[in-house]
mmCIF file of all heavy atoms in Angstrom:
data_model
loop_
_atom_site.group_PDB
_atom_site.id
_atom_site.type_symbol
_atom_site.label_atom_id
_atom_site.label_comp_id
_atom_site.label_asym_id
_atom_site.label_seq_id
_atom_site.Cartn_x
_atom_site.Cartn_y
_atom_site.Cartn_z
ATOM 1 N N PRO A 198 -17.036 21.902 15.342
ATOM 2 C CA PRO A 198 -16.681 21.495 13.971
ATOM 3 C C PRO A 198 -17.334 22.283 12.862
ATOM 4 O O PRO A 198 -18.530 22.481 12.881
ATOM 5 C CB PRO A 198 -17.023 20.011 14.009
ATOM 6 C CG PRO A 198 -17.135 19.625 15.527
ATOM 7 C CD PRO A 198 -17.680 20.884 16.173
ATOM 8 N N ILE A 199 -16.580 22.681 11.947
ATOM 9 C CA ILE A 199 -17.098 23.217 10.685
ATOM 10 C C ILE A 199 -16.389 22.705 9.450
ATOM 11 O O ILE A 199 -15.276 22.797 9.256
ATOM 12 C CB ILE A 199 -16.877 24.781 10.639
ATOM 13 C CG1 ILE A 199 -17.599 25.391 11.864
ATOM 14 C CG2 ILE A 199 -17.467 25.411 9.332
ATOM 15 C CD1 ILE A 199 -17.305 26.984 11.935
ATOM 16 N N ASP A 200 -17.157 21.842 8.717
ATOM 17 C CA ASP A 200 -16.698 21.253 7.554
ATOM 18 C C ASP A 200 -16.921 22.131 6.319
ATOM 19 O O ASP A 200 -18.025 22.253 5.786
ATOM 20 C CB ASP A 200 -17.409 19.945 7.276
ATOM 21 C CG ASP A 200 -16.731 19.042 6.207
ATOM 22 O OD1 ASP A 200 -16.311 19.623 5.201
ATOM 23 O OD2 ASP A 200 -16.622 17.715 6.333
ATOM 24 N N TYR A 201 -15.951 22.919 5.821
ATOM 25 C CA TYR A 201 -16.007 23.802 4.836
ATOM 26 C C TYR A 201 -16.437 23.303 3.561
ATOM 27 O O TYR A 201 -17.348 23.842 2.923
ATOM 28 C CB TYR A 201 -14.619 24.513 4.695
ATOM 29 C CG TYR A 201 -14.676 25.554 3.400
ATOM 30 C CD1 TYR A 201 -15.287 26.765 3.556
ATOM 31 C CD2 TYR A 201 -14.047 25.120 2.322
ATOM 32 C CE1 TYR A 201 -15.249 27.633 2.450
ATOM 33 C CE2 TYR A 201 -14.117 25.847 1.091
ATOM 34 C CZ TYR A 201 -14.657 27.199 1.232
ATOM 35 O OH TYR A 201 -14.666 28.056 0.188
ATOM 36 N N LEU A 202 -15.920 22.092 3.171
ATOM 37 C CA LEU A 202 -16.341 21.433 1.934
ATOM 38 C C LEU A 202 -17.882 21.084 1.886
ATOM 39 O O LEU A 202 -18.623 21.246 0.928
ATOM 40 C CB LEU A 202 -15.506 20.161 1.627
ATOM 41 C CG LEU A 202 -14.140 20.505 1.361
ATOM 42 C CD1 LEU A 202 -13.348 19.224 1.087
ATOM 43 C CD2 LEU A 202 -13.920 21.449 0.088
ATOM 44 N N GLU A 203 -18.224 20.409 3.111
ATOM 45 C CA GLU A 203 -19.739 20.144 3.194
ATOM 46 C C GLU A 203 -20.540 21.282 3.212
ATOM 47 O O GLU A 203 -21.706 21.292 2.668
ATOM 48 C CB GLU A 203 -19.900 19.378 4.612
ATOM 49 C CG GLU A 203 -21.303 18.928 4.750
ATOM 50 C CD GLU A 203 -21.434 18.244 6.181
ATOM 51 O OE1 GLU A 203 -20.506 17.980 6.823
ATOM 52 O OE2 GLU A 203 -22.629 18.126 6.572
ATOM 53 N N LEU A 204 -20.144 22.477 3.792
ATOM 54 C CA LEU A 204 -20.797 23.665 3.814
ATOM 55 C C LEU A 204 -20.984 24.217 2.400
ATOM 56 O O LEU A 204 -22.014 24.728 2.029
ATOM 57 C CB LEU A 204 -20.039 24.638 4.709
ATOM 58 C CG LEU A 204 -20.755 25.993 5.090
ATOM 59 C CD1 LEU A 204 -21.967 25.742 5.877
ATOM 60 C CD2 LEU A 204 -19.717 26.843 5.887
ATOM 61 N N THR A 205 -19.903 24.240 1.631
ATOM 62 C CA THR A 205 -19.893 24.751 0.302
ATOM 63 C C THR A 205 -20.858 23.841 -0.648
ATOM 64 O O THR A 205 -21.663 24.415 -1.468
ATOM 65 C CB THR A 205 -18.438 24.638 -0.321
ATOM 66 O OG1 THR A 205 -17.617 25.404 0.483
ATOM 67 C CG2 THR A 205 -18.495 25.218 -1.702
ATOM 68 N N VAL A 206 -20.856 22.645 -0.482
ATOM 69 C CA VAL A 206 -21.825 21.683 -1.283
ATOM 70 C C VAL A 206 -23.191 22.077 -1.006
ATOM 71 O O VAL A 206 -24.083 22.161 -1.774
ATOM 72 C CB VAL A 206 -21.352 20.187 -0.992
ATOM 73 C CG1 VAL A 206 -22.569 19.371 -1.546
ATOM 74 C CG2 VAL A 206 -20.164 19.916 -1.589
ATOM 75 N N TYR A 207 -23.482 22.139 0.315
ATOM 76 C CA TYR A 207 -24.691 22.547 0.830
ATOM 77 C C TYR A 207 -25.331 23.842 0.180
ATOM 78 O O TYR A 207 -26.433 23.882 -0.277
ATOM 79 C CB TYR A 207 -24.789 22.710 2.317
ATOM 80 C CG TYR A 207 -26.059 23.221 2.960
ATOM 81 C CD1 TYR A 207 -27.158 22.351 3.112
ATOM 82 C CD2 TYR A 207 -26.218 24.568 3.340
ATOM 83 C CE1 TYR A 207 -28.322 22.867 3.729
ATOM 84 C CE2 TYR A 207 -27.294 24.976 3.848
ATOM 85 C CZ TYR A 207 -28.414 24.199 3.968
ATOM 86 O OH TYR A 207 -29.648 24.656 4.610
ATOM 87 N N TRP A 208 -24.493 24.925 0.285
ATOM 88 C CA TRP A 208 -25.002 26.150 -0.282
ATOM 89 C C TRP A 208 -25.080 26.221 -1.797
ATOM 90 O O TRP A 208 -25.833 26.851 -2.422
ATOM 91 C CB TRP A 208 -24.109 27.301 0.193
ATOM 92 C CG TRP A 208 -24.505 27.678 1.645
ATOM 93 C CD1 TRP A 208 -23.746 27.412 2.795
ATOM 94 C CD2 TRP A 208 -25.661 28.423 1.961
ATOM 95 N NE1 TRP A 208 -24.516 27.974 3.879
ATOM 96 C CE2 TRP A 208 -25.609 28.616 3.491
ATOM 97 C CE3 TRP A 208 -26.612 29.096 1.174
ATOM 98 C CZ2 TRP A 208 -26.602 29.295 4.073
ATOM 99 C CZ3 TRP A 208 -27.682 29.771 1.908
ATOM 100 C CH2 TRP A 208 -27.653 29.874 3.339
ATOM 101 N N ASN A 209 -24.200 25.476 -2.546
ATOM 102 C CA ASN A 209 -24.188 25.307 -3.956
ATOM 103 C C ASN A 209 -25.588 24.705 -4.398
ATOM 104 O O ASN A 209 -26.194 25.154 -5.313
ATOM 105 C CB ASN A 209 -23.085 24.534 -4.441
ATOM 106 C CG ASN A 209 -21.717 25.376 -4.380
ATOM 107 O OD1 ASN A 209 -21.780 26.456 -4.329
ATOM 108 N ND2 ASN A 209 -20.639 24.719 -4.544
ATOM 109 N N LYS A 210 -25.933 23.481 -3.622
ATOM 110 C CA LYS A 210 -27.073 22.814 -3.954
ATOM 111 C C LYS A 210 -28.362 23.715 -3.674
ATOM 112 O O LYS A 210 -29.281 23.784 -4.452
ATOM 113 C CB LYS A 210 -27.307 21.616 -3.126
ATOM 114 C CG LYS A 210 -26.382 20.474 -3.569
ATOM 115 C CD LYS A 210 -26.539 19.284 -2.771
ATOM 116 C CE LYS A 210 -25.649 18.006 -3.249
ATOM 117 N NZ LYS A 210 -25.862 16.911 -2.359
ATOM 118 N N LYS A 211 -28.185 24.541 -2.707
ATOM 119 C CA LYS A 211 -29.309 25.414 -2.245
ATOM 120 C C LYS A 211 -29.565 26.536 -3.370
ATOM 121 O O LYS A 211 -30.680 26.856 -3.712
ATOM 122 C CB LYS A 211 -29.066 26.019 -0.881
ATOM 123 C CG LYS A 211 -30.263 26.650 -0.247
ATOM 124 C CD LYS A 211 -30.092 26.955 1.225
ATOM 125 C CE LYS A 211 -31.319 27.481 1.819
ATOM 126 N NZ LYS A 211 -31.074 27.661 3.356
#
Side-chain angles (χ1 to χ4, degrees):
I199 300 176
D200 189 321
Y201 174 78
L202 293 180
E203 182 183 347
L204 189 61
T205 301
V206 170
Y207 171 80
W208 280 103
N209 285 344
K210 286 182 178 179
K211 197 167 184 177

